[in-house]
Amino acid sequence: MAEIIPLRGWRYNQELSKDIQDLTSPLFDVVSVNQRAALYQNRYNSIHLSVPQEENPAGAAAVRLQTWKTEGVIKQDYLPGIYVYYQYYRLPGSEQEYCRKGFMCHIRAYDWSENVLLRHENTIPASVNDRTELLAATHMQVSPTHGLYTDPDFILEKYMDESILAPLHESEDYQGVRDVVAVIQDVTVVHQFLKVLADKQVLLADGHHRYEGSLQYRKSQMAANPHHTGKEAYNYHFIYLTNTEAHDLRILPTHRLLISLPLENEVFLKKLEAYFTITALTDPYDLNEIIVGKKWAFGMYLRDKPYKIRLKPEVHDQITWQIPAEVKDLDLTVLHYFVLNKVLGITPESQRNSDQIQYIRSFAECLARVDHHEAAVAFITNGVTMEQVKTVCYSGGLMPQKSTFFYPKVISGLVFSSIKQNEFYLENITCF
C-alpha cells in the first residue's frame, strides 16, 4: 500500500558537519522564542530554512538555499539511500536509556481519502499555509514528518542496527537526546525496506501541517501540469518511519492554556459544575499527578487556584459532534467539547484558529504563565496512548489539534530532502 523510495539527501558539507549540533534546530512548531534567537546567530543553522525570520520568509529561504548550494554549504549525496536515524534518550527521573529506531525516505503524498497514510488529529490552517508557501518557494523539506508502520516481526531493524555502526552524523540536541544518522545504499537491502512497507498503512504521528503542506503543493502542481504522470518529484514527501511495535515510542501530554476568559471566574466555575465534579486543591504542583490514570480528568489552574475537574459520566452522551465513538471517548474531546465549546462557546472551527488557545507541553510553564498573569487558566491533561492513536486512525476520525507530543522530536537539519525535479533522480541510476 505505502510506496516509499530512497532519497538523495542534501547534507552539510564535511567541514561544517563536524559541528552538526550547531547547525540543527527544533521543529518549526516547537522551537521557542529564546531558542530561535540563539539559533539565528549561526548563519548556517537550518532554522534559517525552516523558520526564516525575514519579512518575506519563503522568498528569503529560497534565496538562502540557492546560495548555500552554490557555495557548497550543503551538498547532495550522489547515490540514493535509506537514511537510518536513531535517537537515544532518557526520561526525567530515570537512568534507563531508550533508543527510538527509524529511517528517513520519500513516501508518496497520498490524499487522506486513499487510506494509505492515516492522520489522527486536526491541523491549524495558518500553519499549513505557512508550510505550503515555504515548500513552493524552496522545493526543500528540511525535516521529515514522523510516520508509524506496524511490523511485529521487526524485519528491518537488523539492517538498521548494522548501518548505525558507521554513522554519518552524531550529536546531542536541545532535548538532551543523542541523534545518530547513517545511510543504507545497498540496492538489495533498500529493496527490503520498500518491500516491507508495500503492504502497510502508515499512521501519521507528527508533522500533520508539513504533510498537508505537501498535499496542497502537489494539488497545485497537478492542476498546472497537463502532462502529470504521478512520477514527478512533487508527488513525494519526506518522512521518518518508526515501528509501532517497538517499546521505545513515547507520547507526552500537551496541555492547554487559555489566554483570557470571557466569563468571570465564579460564573465559569458555576457553568463547569453542570458537567464536571470539581475538587479544590491546595498545591498546583499536584495537578499532573492527581489525574494520572483517571479517565476524563483534568488539572485546572485558575488564577492561583488549583482544581481537579472530572466529567460526570452520565453527561458524556451529550456530545453531539458527529465523530466516531473512539474519538468521543478521548479525554481531549471531552475537554474541547464540554469546556471550550459548551461552557465558553468556542466552536470547533474557532478552536482551530483561535489565538486565545495555546498548546504547551511543559507542566511548569503552564503554572508559571498563569502565575505571571500571562494566561487566565491552564488545563493539565493526561497523555494519549499508542493504542488510542491507532484506534482513532483506523476509525477515520480526528483528535483535537495538538493532541499528541511524540518524544523525542525529530531534529531539523541532519538531512534535507529536495523535490526539485533535477535533484530528485539521477537519470542513470535506475536500480530503484
Side-chain angles (χ1 to χ4, degrees):
M1 296 177 72
E3 178 196 343
I4 66 168
I5 59 175
L7 65 94
R8 297 180 57 222
W10 283 86
R11 298 185 292 116
Y12 285 104
N13 70 41
Q14 188 174 3
E15 186 61 32
L16 283 174
S17 65
K18 292 177 182 177
D19 300 309
I20 191 69
Q21 67 275 2
D22 297 330
L23 305 171
T24 56
S25 61
L27 297 177
F28 84 100
D29 55 349
V30 299
V31 61
S32 70
V33 174
N34 289 339
Q35 283 175 324
R36 290 185 190 186
L39 295 171
Y40 285 135
Q41 299 304 308
N42 186 327
R43 61 177 177 153
Y44 294 133
N45 189 281
S46 59
I47 196 170
H48 291 289
L49 298 182
S50 60
V51 193
Q53 60 182 331
E54 289 84 358
E55 188 171 330
N56 174 14
V63 171
R64 180 176 294 111
L65 177 61
Q66 187 54 53
T67 300
W68 286 8
K69 290 178 180 178
T70 302
E71 295 180 352
V73 174
I74 59 174
K75 295 184 176 182
Q76 189 172 28
D77 289 337
Y78 182 76
L79 292 175
I82 297 292
Y83 290 81
V84 177
Y85 182 14
Y86 280 14
Q87 291 181 288
Y88 299 87
Y89 67 97
R90 290 182 172 86
L91 295 172
S94 172
E95 291 300 314
Q96 181 178 352
E97 183 177 66
Y98 300 91
C99 176
R100 188 173 70 188
K101 302 178 179 182
F103 61 93
M104 296 179 282
C105 60
H106 277 137
I107 190 169
R108 181 171 289 280
Y110 294 98
D111 287 326
W112 303 123
S113 60
E114 296 179 79
N115 290 321
V116 176
L117 200 148
L118 308 178
R119 54 183 169 171
H120 73 266
E121 67 181 19
N122 271 315
T123 53
I124 299 170
S127 294
V128 174
N129 294 338
D130 172 74
R131 294 299 98 184
T132 306
E133 292 173 7
L134 193 61
L135 181 60
T138 65
H139 304 112
M140 186 72 81
Q141 298 171 90
V142 182
S143 57
T145 288
H146 183 189
L148 307 167
Y149 68 98
T150 298
D151 174 25
D153 296 323
F154 294 90
I155 294 171
L156 301 177
E157 276 70 8
K158 62 182 179 182
Y159 302 115
M160 293 192 287
D161 287 345
E162 181 179 351
S163 73
I164 210 70
L165 297 176
L168 298 172
H169 302 303
E170 185 169 356
S171 69
E172 182 174 316
D173 65 37
Y174 76 104
Q175 307 162 104
V177 174
R178 184 162 61 94
D179 301 290
V180 185
V181 174
V183 65
I184 297 173
Q185 294 172 323
D186 182 283
V187 176
T188 303
V189 176
V190 169
H191 274 291
Q192 286 296 314
F193 282 77
L194 276 56
K195 181 180 178 181
V196 167
L197 269 292
D199 66 348
K200 308 293 185 190
Q201 287 177 304
V202 173
L203 314 183
L204 197 56
D206 201 2
H208 287 66
H209 297 96
R210 279 166 282 149
Y211 186 76
E212 284 202 9
S214 283
L215 290 184
Q216 284 193 10
Y217 179 67
R218 175 176 178 264
K219 289 175 182 177
S220 70
Q221 294 302 295
M222 287 172 60
N225 181 7
H227 306 293
H228 171 79
T229 66
K231 296 181 180 179
E232 297 86 356
Y234 58 72
N235 290 288
Y236 292 88
H237 179 76
F238 189 29
I239 196 164
Y240 165 66
L241 292 168
T242 56
N243 191 348
T244 63
E245 303 307 287
H247 298 297
D248 295 322
L249 282 170
R250 292 291 181 272
I251 308 174
L252 304 181
T254 301
H255 313 301
R256 272 62 175 150
L257 278 181
L258 290 182
I259 302 306
S260 62
L261 278 177
L263 306 172
E264 294 294 330
N265 289 357
E266 294 75 15
V267 177
F268 175 57
L269 287 169
K270 187 66 177 177
K271 285 197 166 192
L272 281 179
E273 285 179 349
Y275 308 106
F276 294 88
T277 299
I278 303 175
T279 306
L281 305 174
T282 56
D283 189 345
Y285 286 93
D286 291 336
L287 288 175
N288 61 340
E289 296 182 2
I290 204 168
I291 64 172
V292 171
K294 296 180 175 66
K295 189 173 184 177
W296 302 335
F298 309 93
M300 184 175 74
Y301 193 38
L302 178 64
R303 284 287 187 249
D304 305 327
K305 296 182 179 179
Y307 301 88
K308 171 191 168 186
I309 65 172
R310 191 171 190 182
L311 188 74
K312 298 174 181 177
E314 64 270 19
V315 306
H316 184 261
D317 288 342
Q318 295 181 22
I319 297 178
T320 59
W321 286 346
Q322 298 302 303
I323 53 178
E326 293 87 348
V327 182
K328 285 186 180 180
D329 195 53
L330 297 172
D331 286 357
L332 287 171
T333 300
V334 165
L335 180 66
H336 279 250
Y337 182 82
F338 287 104
V339 179
L340 301 184
N341 188 197
K342 297 295 288 184
V343 173
L344 296 176
I346 308 173
T347 66
E349 186 63 27
S350 296
Q351 290 175 27
R352 292 178 63 197
N353 292 284
S354 176
D355 60 1
Q356 293 296 300
I357 304 172
Q358 295 187 2
Y359 305 90
I360 308 295
R361 192 194 68 77
S362 168
F363 170 65
E365 181 181 347
C366 286
L367 302 189
R369 294 279 296 278
V370 174
D371 283 339
H372 295 151
H373 294 187
E374 296 172 2
V377 59
F379 293 98
I380 308 304
T381 67
N382 282 314
V384 175
T385 67
M386 188 66 244
E387 284 307 308
Q388 287 175 317
V389 171
K390 288 183 180 181
T391 299
V392 170
C393 283
Y394 295 137
S395 77
L398 297 176
M399 298 180 184
Q401 57 277 10
K402 300 295 183 182
S403 290
T404 56
F405 190 100
F406 282 82
Y407 183 84
K409 287 291 186 181
V410 173
I411 296 301
S412 298
L414 292 169
V415 178
F416 303 150
S417 155
S418 175
I419 56 167
K420 193 172 183 179
Q421 192 63 39
N422 65 347
E423 297 174 349
F424 194 68
Y425 289 118
L426 267 183
E427 296 299 330
N428 62 339
I429 296 179
T430 59
C431 53
F432 297 110

